[in-house]
Amino acid sequence: MNRLVIVSNRVPLPDEDGNPPAGGLAVALHAALRKRGGGLWMGWSGKVQTEAGTEQLEEMEIEGITYALTDLSETDYNEYYAGFANRVLWPIFHSRLDLAEYARKEMSGYFRVNRLFADLLAPRLQEDDVVWIHDYHLIPLAEELRQRGVTCRIGFFLHIPWPPSDILIAMPVYERVLKALCAYDVLGFQTDLDLANFSECLRRENVGGPVGERTFRAYDRTFEAGAFPISIETADFARLAEAADSGDELVESTKNSLTGKQLIIGADRLDYSKGITHRIEAYERLLIEHPERRGNISFLQVTPKSRSDVPEYAAMQKQLAELIGRVNGALGSADWVPTRYINQSLGRSVLAGLYRLADVGLVTPLKDGMNLVAKEYVAAQDPEDPGVLVLSRFAGAARELKGALLINPYDSEMTARTIERALSMPLDERRERWRGMMDHLLTHDVNHWCEDFLAALNAPR
Ligand code: GDG
């Protein structure tokens, strides 16, 4: 088997016992590397140096896998990561033109760091390597590697949505980004809709389009592009949730604290794409329209901080805390708090146990590539007494999870009505909806995703 080389912005290093960090993606990619007898994983170390020009790869080998990490200078970090990647590509790809802060300096920093990655990686690549690059931080990397004479097969997976053409072309540098993507051999998107948007962008620019089932031709290159919906380690996650249900102290005390109340859960990185404020507003509406629910339900929102050095995220943290405070103040009572809000990260098994405890999983992104929380919530349920998933139609996961109750997060009346329906759904219907989704997730797990993509990348041309 050819050597597999993975490149991602951050590299999830294993712990001192050689176990990969928790989380489906890290586990699946480590499994793929091990299955191929080792391999290389390159990315940013997470460290920022005050001086530029000293970047080099620091290599370490753990359990047969070589990790090659580089630091970034402060300027590179600010322009490439906090700047272009997270203040231009992230909002635009999530259709938030209003939040995109475009600066030419940051755009050039983005391409500069991709050149740096290519300079560091190209000398380490062999002709029969298979290279798999991840996510929006590294779109230009294949083009840069090709310019350095790299001829091996290179694939790319975009974890976030690909926007409609009208949105993409609002980004001043969109042509370079679109062309850079066409330097890959295999392009993976989360859903058929992302793929269709990408195809439409090529057509609209008059630079190419599909020429076969999965084959595209654009900018004088032929490549494959397809939908590869990412998933979770379904069976393991189900076991984790079951174990936490009976063996975890925090899960146990949370259960006791509910004293028979129904639980609704939301869990998201603090990010404007996740629709958390829309969700709280819908919950508020539910409590206003169904006063009989007050005192009988509890909404737990788990929201670890993320990207706090990007101004939009810091502002959102404040806005969300204020909104929850207002709803709790207006609708709570001396013996009941409507929303429990945790602005920290919980352990993975605690989270799994809490999902299992919850009667309703509320996943309401305004736009999301896939959304793994939706899949985890399903996997965590008790088969005998499963909860109900209420899911935004704008999450990639909505294309697959047919048993969910779909909502439009911009329509708080509809979301409130749907939460009410979920809270009162009979057991038979809950079981039937859950079974279909769980069967799907057991066959379409993260290993299936990984092997499917690698099969496309390894396929003979
Ligand atoms: C990007 C795309 C795509 C959340 N709170 C805690 C915690 N989490 C974990 C969840 C889940 C992960 O974080 C979030 O994954 P998502 O898929 O929901 O979202 P993004 O981080 O935005 O990921 C997304 C994904 O890439 C994969 O391709 O699905 O669309 O935006 O696993 O469980 N984990 C722990 N404590 C928490 O408090 N341990």
Side-chain angles (χ1 to χ4, degrees), residues 90 94 157 159-160 190 230 267-269 274 302 304 344-348 351 355 368-373 376:
W90 179 275
H94 286 87
F157 184 75
H159 290 257
I160 65 175
Q190 296 275 24
I230 198 169
D268 323 70
R269 269 188 316 102
K274 303 292 181 186
V302 181
Q344 309 154 30
S345 180
L346 295 176
R348 195 160 171 76
L351 187 62
Y355 285 146
D368 216 327
M370 177 53 61
N371 194 298
L372 296 180
V373 169
E376 290 165 358

PDB file of all heavy atoms in Angstrom, residues 90 94 157 159-160 190 230 267-269 274 302 304 344-348 351 355 368-373 376, ligand 1:
ATOM      1  N   TRP A  90     -14.119  31.435   6.319  1.00  0.00           N
ATOM      2  CA  TRP A  90     -15.164  30.843   7.171  1.00  0.00           C
ATOM      3  C   TRP A  90     -16.499  31.569   6.997  1.00  0.00           C
ATOM      4  O   TRP A  90     -17.512  30.935   6.663  1.00  0.00           O
ATOM      5  CB  TRP A  90     -14.708  30.779   8.640  1.00  0.00           C
ATOM      6  CG  TRP A  90     -15.754  30.209   9.545  1.00  0.00           C
ATOM      7  CD1 TRP A  90     -16.787  30.886  10.140  1.00  0.00           C
ATOM      8  CD2 TRP A  90     -15.923  28.837   9.919  1.00  0.00           C
ATOM      9  NE1 TRP A  90     -17.580  30.023  10.874  1.00  0.00           N
ATOM     10  CE2 TRP A  90     -17.069  28.745  10.756  1.00  0.00           C
ATOM     11  CE3 TRP A  90     -15.221  27.660   9.626  1.00  0.00           C
ATOM     12  CZ2 TRP A  90     -17.519  27.550  11.309  1.00  0.00           C
ATOM     13  CZ3 TRP A  90     -15.676  26.462  10.190  1.00  0.00           C
ATOM     14  CH2 TRP A  90     -16.808  26.424  11.010  1.00  0.00           C
ATOM     15  N   HIS A  94     -19.837  30.105   4.846  1.00  0.00           N
ATOM     16  CA  HIS A  94     -21.086  29.912   5.594  1.00  0.00           C
ATOM     17  C   HIS A  94     -22.134  30.954   5.208  1.00  0.00           C
ATOM     18  O   HIS A  94     -23.076  31.219   5.966  1.00  0.00           O
ATOM     19  CB  HIS A  94     -20.824  29.951   7.106  1.00  0.00           C
ATOM     20  CG  HIS A  94     -20.151  28.703   7.610  1.00  0.00           C
ATOM     21  ND1 HIS A  94     -18.783  28.554   7.598  1.00  0.00           N
ATOM     22  CD2 HIS A  94     -20.647  27.536   8.090  1.00  0.00           C
ATOM     23  CE1 HIS A  94     -18.484  27.333   8.074  1.00  0.00           C
ATOM     24  NE2 HIS A  94     -19.583  26.711   8.376  1.00  0.00           N
ATOM     25  N   PHE A 157     -10.267  17.413   1.223  1.00  0.00           N
ATOM     26  CA  PHE A 157     -11.631  17.337   1.764  1.00  0.00           C
ATOM     27  C   PHE A 157     -11.984  18.661   2.432  1.00  0.00           C
ATOM     28  O   PHE A 157     -11.253  19.152   3.300  1.00  0.00           O
ATOM     29  CB  PHE A 157     -11.782  16.189   2.767  1.00  0.00           C
ATOM     30  CG  PHE A 157     -13.197  16.050   3.236  1.00  0.00           C
ATOM     31  CD1 PHE A 157     -14.158  15.495   2.404  1.00  0.00           C
ATOM     32  CD2 PHE A 157     -13.587  16.526   4.474  1.00  0.00           C
ATOM     33  CE1 PHE A 157     -15.493  15.402   2.809  1.00  0.00           C
ATOM     34  CE2 PHE A 157     -14.910  16.442   4.891  1.00  0.00           C
ATOM     35  CZ  PHE A 157     -15.862  15.871   4.054  1.00  0.00           C
ATOM     36  N   HIS A 159     -14.283  20.497   4.928  1.00  0.00           N
ATOM     37  CA  HIS A 159     -15.171  20.165   6.047  1.00  0.00           C
ATOM     38  C   HIS A 159     -16.348  21.131   6.167  1.00  0.00           C
ATOM     39  O   HIS A 159     -17.302  20.853   6.870  1.00  0.00           O
ATOM     40  CB  HIS A 159     -14.370  20.161   7.352  1.00  0.00           C
ATOM     41  CG  HIS A 159     -13.414  19.001   7.443  1.00  0.00           C
ATOM     42  ND1 HIS A 159     -13.660  17.892   8.215  1.00  0.00           N
ATOM     43  CD2 HIS A 159     -12.234  18.764   6.817  1.00  0.00           C
ATOM     44  CE1 HIS A 159     -12.666  17.031   8.078  1.00  0.00           C
ATOM     45  NE2 HIS A 159     -11.778  17.537   7.243  1.00  0.00           N
ATOM     46  N   ILE A 160     -16.240  22.279   5.554  1.00  0.00           N
ATOM     47  CA  ILE A 160     -17.298  23.295   5.684  1.00  0.00           C
ATOM     48  C   ILE A 160     -18.063  23.379   4.350  1.00  0.00           C
ATOM     49  O   ILE A 160     -17.648  22.755   3.372  1.00  0.00           O
ATOM     50  CB  ILE A 160     -16.691  24.662   6.115  1.00  0.00           C
ATOM     51  CG1 ILE A 160     -15.762  25.233   5.046  1.00  0.00           C
ATOM     52  CG2 ILE A 160     -15.931  24.514   7.433  1.00  0.00           C
ATOM     53  CD1 ILE A 160     -15.224  26.637   5.369  1.00  0.00           C
ATOM     54  N   GLN A 190     -18.926  17.746   1.592  1.00  0.00           N
ATOM     55  CA  GLN A 190     -19.774  17.050   2.563  1.00  0.00           C
ATOM     56  C   GLN A 190     -21.057  16.513   1.924  1.00  0.00           C
ATOM     57  O   GLN A 190     -21.503  15.423   2.253  1.00  0.00           O
ATOM     58  CB  GLN A 190     -20.160  17.984   3.718  1.00  0.00           C
ATOM     59  CG  GLN A 190     -19.002  18.474   4.578  1.00  0.00           C
ATOM     60  CD  GLN A 190     -18.628  17.487   5.683  1.00  0.00           C
ATOM     61  OE1 GLN A 190     -18.885  16.305   5.582  1.00  0.00           O
ATOM     62  NE2 GLN A 190     -17.995  17.990   6.729  1.00  0.00           N
ATOM     63  N   ILE A 230     -19.070  13.164   6.012  1.00  0.00           N
ATOM     64  CA  ILE A 230     -18.263  12.701   7.149  1.00  0.00           C
ATOM     65  C   ILE A 230     -19.183  12.169   8.246  1.00  0.00           C
ATOM     66  O   ILE A 230     -20.370  12.519   8.299  1.00  0.00           O
ATOM     67  CB  ILE A 230     -17.353  13.835   7.674  1.00  0.00           C
ATOM     68  CG1 ILE A 230     -16.218  13.257   8.521  1.00  0.00           C
ATOM     69  CG2 ILE A 230     -18.139  14.857   8.464  1.00  0.00           C
ATOM     70  CD1 ILE A 230     -15.133  14.258   8.855  1.00  0.00           C
ATOM     71  N   ALA A 267     -25.278  21.369  22.005  1.00  0.00           N
ATOM     72  CA  ALA A 267     -23.820  21.381  22.244  1.00  0.00           C
ATOM     73  C   ALA A 267     -23.131  21.857  20.980  1.00  0.00           C
ATOM     74  O   ALA A 267     -23.304  21.258  19.915  1.00  0.00           O
ATOM     75  CB  ALA A 267     -23.330  19.985  22.616  1.00  0.00           C
ATOM     76  N   ASP A 268     -22.416  22.964  21.083  1.00  0.00           N
ATOM     77  CA  ASP A 268     -21.753  23.524  19.902  1.00  0.00           C
ATOM     78  C   ASP A 268     -20.550  24.331  20.337  1.00  0.00           C
ATOM     79  O   ASP A 268     -20.587  24.953  21.395  1.00  0.00           O
ATOM     80  CB  ASP A 268     -22.640  24.547  19.175  1.00  0.00           C
ATOM     81  CG  ASP A 268     -24.106  24.183  19.164  1.00  0.00           C
ATOM     82  OD1 ASP A 268     -24.771  24.229  20.239  1.00  0.00           O
ATOM     83  OD2 ASP A 268     -24.595  23.886  18.093  1.00  0.00           O
ATOM     84  N   ARG A 269     -19.506  24.323  19.484  1.00  0.00           N
ATOM     85  CA  ARG A 269     -18.470  25.332  19.668  1.00  0.00           C
ATOM     86  C   ARG A 269     -19.165  26.676  19.602  1.00  0.00           C
ATOM     87  O   ARG A 269     -20.144  26.825  18.862  1.00  0.00           O
ATOM     88  CB  ARG A 269     -17.481  25.278  18.490  1.00  0.00           C
ATOM     89  CG  ARG A 269     -16.318  24.402  18.629  1.00  0.00           C
ATOM     90  CD  ARG A 269     -15.331  24.585  17.492  1.00  0.00           C
ATOM     91  NE  ARG A 269     -15.918  24.658  16.171  1.00  0.00           N
ATOM     92  CZ  ARG A 269     -16.109  25.773  15.486  1.00  0.00           C
ATOM     93  NH1 ARG A 269     -15.774  26.955  15.993  1.00  0.00           N
ATOM     94  NH2 ARG A 269     -16.632  25.749  14.282  1.00  0.00           N
ATOM     95  N   LYS A 274     -23.611  28.359  14.215  1.00  0.00           N
ATOM     96  CA  LYS A 274     -24.365  27.296  14.872  1.00  0.00           C
ATOM     97  C   LYS A 274     -25.791  27.696  15.263  1.00  0.00           C
ATOM     98  O   LYS A 274     -26.548  26.871  15.762  1.00  0.00           O
ATOM     99  CB  LYS A 274     -23.610  26.809  16.121  1.00  0.00           C
ATOM    100  CG  LYS A 274     -22.193  26.311  15.836  1.00  0.00           C
ATOM    101  CD  LYS A 274     -22.171  25.024  15.023  1.00  0.00           C
ATOM    102  CE  LYS A 274     -20.746  24.527  14.779  1.00  0.00           C
ATOM    103  NZ  LYS A 274     -20.711  23.355  13.876  1.00  0.00           N
ATOM    104  N   VAL A 302     -24.397  23.488  26.068  1.00  0.00           N
ATOM    105  CA  VAL A 302     -22.961  23.340  26.308  1.00  0.00           C
ATOM    106  C   VAL A 302     -22.224  24.027  25.168  1.00  0.00           C
ATOM    107  O   VAL A 302     -22.389  23.654  24.008  1.00  0.00           O
ATOM    108  CB  VAL A 302     -22.563  21.841  26.331  1.00  0.00           C
ATOM    109  CG1 VAL A 302     -21.073  21.693  26.602  1.00  0.00           C
ATOM    110  CG2 VAL A 302     -23.381  21.084  27.351  1.00  0.00           C
ATOM    111  N   PRO A 304     -18.423  25.257  24.459  1.00  0.00           N
ATOM    112  CA  PRO A 304     -17.022  25.607  24.696  1.00  0.00           C
ATOM    113  C   PRO A 304     -16.608  26.816  23.855  1.00  0.00           C
ATOM    114  O   PRO A 304     -17.077  26.983  22.730  1.00  0.00           O
ATOM    115  CB  PRO A 304     -16.247  24.357  24.276  1.00  0.00           C
ATOM    116  CG  PRO A 304     -17.218  23.372  23.768  1.00  0.00           C
ATOM    117  CD  PRO A 304     -18.598  23.923  23.895  1.00  0.00           C
ATOM    118  N   GLN A 344     -17.866  26.094  28.783  1.00  0.00           N
ATOM    119  CA  GLN A 344     -16.586  25.366  28.882  1.00  0.00           C
ATOM    120  C   GLN A 344     -16.764  24.038  28.173  1.00  0.00           C
ATOM    121  O   GLN A 344     -17.876  23.604  27.934  1.00  0.00           O
ATOM    122  CB  GLN A 344     -16.264  25.013  30.331  1.00  0.00           C
ATOM    123  CG  GLN A 344     -16.331  26.111  31.324  1.00  0.00           C
ATOM    124  CD  GLN A 344     -16.632  25.542  32.710  1.00  0.00           C
ATOM    125  OE1 GLN A 344     -16.269  24.429  33.040  1.00  0.00           O
ATOM    126  NE2 GLN A 344     -17.338  26.321  33.497  1.00  0.00           N
ATOM    127  N   SER A 345     -15.624  23.382  27.951  1.00  0.00           N
ATOM    128  CA  SER A 345     -15.679  22.084  27.298  1.00  0.00           C
ATOM    129  C   SER A 345     -15.905  20.988  28.341  1.00  0.00           C
ATOM    130  O   SER A 345     -15.308  21.016  29.417  1.00  0.00           O
ATOM    131  CB  SER A 345     -14.359  21.865  26.566  1.00  0.00           C
ATOM    132  OG  SER A 345     -14.377  20.632  25.937  1.00  0.00           O
ATOM    133  N   LEU A 346     -16.772  20.037  28.031  1.00  0.00           N
ATOM    134  CA  LEU A 346     -16.985  18.885  28.925  1.00  0.00           C
ATOM    135  C   LEU A 346     -16.187  17.700  28.401  1.00  0.00           C
ATOM    136  O   LEU A 346     -15.865  17.642  27.213  1.00  0.00           O
ATOM    137  CB  LEU A 346     -18.466  18.501  28.933  1.00  0.00           C
ATOM    138  CG  LEU A 346     -19.452  19.516  29.501  1.00  0.00           C
ATOM    139  CD1 LEU A 346     -20.874  19.001  29.340  1.00  0.00           C
ATOM    140  CD2 LEU A 346     -19.149  19.778  30.972  1.00  0.00           C
ATOM    141  N   GLY A 347     -15.928  16.724  29.244  1.00  0.00           N
ATOM    142  CA  GLY A 347     -15.270  15.496  28.786  1.00  0.00           C
ATOM    143  C   GLY A 347     -16.164  14.775  27.787  1.00  0.00           C
ATOM    144  O   GLY A 347     -17.396  14.905  27.842  1.00  0.00           O
ATOM    145  N   ARG A 348     -15.536  14.047  26.873  1.00  0.00           N
ATOM    146  CA  ARG A 348     -16.308  13.409  25.805  1.00  0.00           C
ATOM    147  C   ARG A 348     -17.334  12.396  26.347  1.00  0.00           C
ATOM    148  O   ARG A 348     -18.445  12.305  25.849  1.00  0.00           O
ATOM    149  CB  ARG A 348     -15.329  12.708  24.851  1.00  0.00           C
ATOM    150  CG  ARG A 348     -15.933  12.320  23.550  1.00  0.00           C
ATOM    151  CD  ARG A 348     -14.877  12.086  22.489  1.00  0.00           C
ATOM    152  NE  ARG A 348     -15.467  11.511  21.302  1.00  0.00           N
ATOM    153  CZ  ARG A 348     -16.178  12.195  20.418  1.00  0.00           C
ATOM    154  NH1 ARG A 348     -16.378  13.487  20.582  1.00  0.00           N
ATOM    155  NH2 ARG A 348     -16.679  11.595  19.362  1.00  0.00           N
ATOM    156  N   LEU A 351     -20.285  14.219  27.885  1.00  0.00           N
ATOM    157  CA  LEU A 351     -21.152  14.752  26.830  1.00  0.00           C
ATOM    158  C   LEU A 351     -22.032  13.628  26.266  1.00  0.00           C
ATOM    159  O   LEU A 351     -23.244  13.796  26.088  1.00  0.00           O
ATOM    160  CB  LEU A 351     -20.280  15.371  25.734  1.00  0.00           C
ATOM    161  CG  LEU A 351     -21.003  16.119  24.626  1.00  0.00           C
ATOM    162  CD1 LEU A 351     -21.764  17.313  25.189  1.00  0.00           C
ATOM    163  CD2 LEU A 351     -20.020  16.600  23.553  1.00  0.00           C
ATOM    164  N   TYR A 355     -26.097  13.525  26.318  1.00  0.00           N
ATOM    165  CA  TYR A 355     -26.937  13.346  25.115  1.00  0.00           C
ATOM    166  C   TYR A 355     -27.981  12.267  25.381  1.00  0.00           C
ATOM    167  O   TYR A 355     -29.138  12.373  25.007  1.00  0.00           O
ATOM    168  CB  TYR A 355     -26.095  12.830  23.942  1.00  0.00           C
ATOM    169  CG  TYR A 355     -25.164  13.781  23.221  1.00  0.00           C
ATOM    170  CD1 TYR A 355     -23.953  13.310  22.714  1.00  0.00           C
ATOM    171  CD2 TYR A 355     -25.493  15.111  22.978  1.00  0.00           C
ATOM    172  CE1 TYR A 355     -23.083  14.128  22.001  1.00  0.00           C
ATOM    173  CE2 TYR A 355     -24.624  15.944  22.270  1.00  0.00           C
ATOM    174  CZ  TYR A 355     -23.420  15.439  21.782  1.00  0.00           C
ATOM    175  OH  TYR A 355     -22.562  16.239  21.078  1.00  0.00           O
ATOM    176  N   ASP A 368     -24.096  24.632   8.126  1.00  0.00           N
ATOM    177  CA  ASP A 368     -23.085  23.743   8.693  1.00  0.00           C
ATOM    178  C   ASP A 368     -22.688  22.712   7.643  1.00  0.00           C
ATOM    179  O   ASP A 368     -23.567  22.157   6.969  1.00  0.00           O
ATOM    180  CB  ASP A 368     -23.681  23.011   9.915  1.00  0.00           C
ATOM    181  CG  ASP A 368     -22.653  22.801  11.020  1.00  0.00           C
ATOM    182  OD1 ASP A 368     -21.475  22.609  10.695  1.00  0.00           O
ATOM    183  OD2 ASP A 368     -23.051  22.821  12.200  1.00  0.00           O
ATOM    184  N   GLY A 369     -21.379  22.476   7.511  1.00  0.00           N
ATOM    185  CA  GLY A 369     -20.904  21.505   6.525  1.00  0.00           C
ATOM    186  C   GLY A 369     -21.609  20.173   6.741  1.00  0.00           C
ATOM    187  O   GLY A 369     -22.294  19.650   5.852  1.00  0.00           O
ATOM    188  N   MET A 370     -21.442  19.615   7.934  1.00  0.00           N
ATOM    189  CA  MET A 370     -22.135  18.373   8.284  1.00  0.00           C
ATOM    190  C   MET A 370     -22.894  18.560   9.589  1.00  0.00           C
ATOM    191  O   MET A 370     -24.096  18.537   9.647  1.00  0.00           O
ATOM    192  CB  MET A 370     -21.118  17.215   8.394  1.00  0.00           C
ATOM    193  CG  MET A 370     -21.709  15.898   8.811  1.00  0.00           C
ATOM    194  SD  MET A 370     -23.104  15.362   7.801  1.00  0.00           S
ATOM    195  CE  MET A 370     -22.374  15.225   6.185  1.00  0.00           C
ATOM    196  N   ASN A 371     -22.184  18.728  10.681  1.00  0.00           N
ATOM    197  CA  ASN A 371     -22.617  18.790  12.084  1.00  0.00           C
ATOM    198  C   ASN A 371     -22.611  17.396  12.702  1.00  0.00           C
ATOM    199  O   ASN A 371     -23.528  16.595  12.532  1.00  0.00           O
ATOM    200  CB  ASN A 371     -23.986  19.430  12.293  1.00  0.00           C
ATOM    201  CG  ASN A 371     -24.168  19.764  13.774  1.00  0.00           C
ATOM    202  OD1 ASN A 371     -24.169  18.877  14.616  1.00  0.00           O
ATOM    203  ND2 ASN A 371     -24.241  21.040  14.084  1.00  0.00           N
ATOM    204  N   LEU A 372     -21.532  17.131  13.410  1.00  0.00           N
ATOM    205  CA  LEU A 372     -21.342  15.820  14.033  1.00  0.00           C
ATOM    206  C   LEU A 372     -22.136  15.668  15.316  1.00  0.00           C
ATOM    207  O   LEU A 372     -22.431  14.550  15.732  1.00  0.00           O
ATOM    208  CB  LEU A 372     -19.850  15.581  14.285  1.00  0.00           C
ATOM    209  CG  LEU A 372     -19.018  15.506  12.999  1.00  0.00           C
ATOM    210  CD1 LEU A 372     -17.558  15.263  13.319  1.00  0.00           C
ATOM    211  CD2 LEU A 372     -19.531  14.408  12.073  1.00  0.00           C
ATOM    212  N   VAL A 373     -22.503  16.787  15.949  1.00  0.00           N
ATOM    213  CA  VAL A 373     -23.302  16.704  17.174  1.00  0.00           C
ATOM    214  C   VAL A 373     -24.621  15.980  16.877  1.00  0.00           C
ATOM    215  O   VAL A 373     -25.075  15.137  17.662  1.00  0.00           O
ATOM    216  CB  VAL A 373     -23.543  18.110  17.765  1.00  0.00           C
ATOM    217  CG1 VAL A 373     -24.579  18.071  18.874  1.00  0.00           C
ATOM    218  CG2 VAL A 373     -22.231  18.693  18.282  1.00  0.00           C
ATOM    219  N   GLU A 376     -23.848  12.344  16.758  1.00  0.00           N
ATOM    220  CA  GLU A 376     -23.510  11.836  18.095  1.00  0.00           C
ATOM    221  C   GLU A 376     -24.763  11.699  18.955  1.00  0.00           C
ATOM    222  O   GLU A 376     -24.905  10.734  19.708  1.00  0.00           O
ATOM    223  CB  GLU A 376     -22.515  12.782  18.786  1.00  0.00           C
ATOM    224  CG  GLU A 376     -21.130  12.764  18.151  1.00  0.00           C
ATOM    225  CD  GLU A 376     -20.238  13.932  18.566  1.00  0.00           C
ATOM    226  OE1 GLU A 376     -20.690  14.802  19.332  1.00  0.00           O
ATOM    227  OE2 GLU A 376     -19.088  13.978  18.098  1.00  0.00           O
TER     228      GLU A 376
HETATM  229  C1  GDG B   1     -16.358  21.303  11.264  1.00  0.00           C
HETATM  230  C2  GDG B   1     -17.566  21.715  10.403  1.00  0.00           C
HETATM  231  C3  GDG B   1     -18.225  19.305  10.262  1.00  0.00           C
HETATM  232  C4  GDG B   1     -18.761  20.139  21.322  1.00  0.00           C
HETATM  233  N1  GDG B   1     -18.789  20.532  22.593  1.00  0.00           N
HETATM  234  C5  GDG B   1     -17.964  19.728  23.273  1.00  0.00           C
HETATM  235  C6  GDG B   1     -17.410  18.813  22.382  1.00  0.00           C
HETATM  236  N2  GDG B   1     -17.898  19.101  21.183  1.00  0.00           N
HETATM  237  C7  GDG B   1     -17.560  18.319  19.980  1.00  0.00           C
HETATM  238  C8  GDG B   1     -18.751  17.578  19.462  1.00  0.00           C
HETATM  239  C9  GDG B   1     -18.356  17.324  18.005  1.00  0.00           C
HETATM  240  C10 GDG B   1     -17.435  18.509  17.703  1.00  0.00           C
HETATM  241  O1  GDG B   1     -17.123  19.140  18.939  1.00  0.00           O
HETATM  242  C11 GDG B   1     -18.110  19.544  16.843  1.00  0.00           C
HETATM  243  O2  GDG B   1     -18.237  19.033  15.558  1.00  0.00           O
HETATM  244  P1  GDG B   1     -19.232  19.697  14.501  1.00  0.00           P
HETATM  245  O3  GDG B   1     -19.295  18.809  13.335  1.00  0.00           O
HETATM  246  O4  GDG B   1     -20.575  19.850  15.150  1.00  0.00           O
HETATM  247  O5  GDG B   1     -18.693  21.157  14.208  1.00  0.00           O
HETATM  248  P2  GDG B   1     -17.299  21.962  13.852  1.00  0.00           P
HETATM  249  O6  GDG B   1     -16.391  22.006  14.996  1.00  0.00           O
HETATM  250  O7  GDG B   1     -17.762  23.283  13.345  1.00  0.00           O
HETATM  251  O8  GDG B   1     -16.617  21.119  12.657  1.00  0.00           O
HETATM  252  C12 GDG B   1     -18.705  20.724  10.585  1.00  0.00           C
HETATM  253  C13 GDG B   1     -16.943  18.985  11.007  1.00  0.00           C
HETATM  254  O9  GDG B   1     -15.940  19.983  10.788  1.00  0.00           O
HETATM  255  C14 GDG B   1     -16.357  17.641  10.541  1.00  0.00           C
HETATM  256  O10 GDG B   1     -16.143  17.620   9.169  1.00  0.00           O
HETATM  257  O11 GDG B   1     -19.237  18.395  10.651  1.00  0.00           O
HETATM  258  O12 GDG B   1     -19.787  21.052   9.730  1.00  0.00           O
HETATM  259  O13 GDG B   1     -17.995  23.031  10.735  1.00  0.00           O
HETATM  260  O14 GDG B   1     -17.633  16.133  17.876  1.00  0.00           O
HETATM  261  O15 GDG B   1     -18.923  16.407  20.231  1.00  0.00           O
HETATM  262  N3  GDG B   1     -16.541  17.842  22.741  1.00  0.00           N
HETATM  263  C15 GDG B   1     -16.200  17.760  24.061  1.00  0.00           C
HETATM  264  N4  GDG B   1     -16.687  18.655  24.985  1.00  0.00           N
HETATM  265  C16 GDG B   1     -17.567  19.637  24.641  1.00  0.00           C
HETATM  266  O16 GDG B   1     -17.982  20.415  25.511  1.00  0.00           O
HETATM  267  N5  GDG B   1     -15.358  16.795  24.464  1.00  0.00           N
END
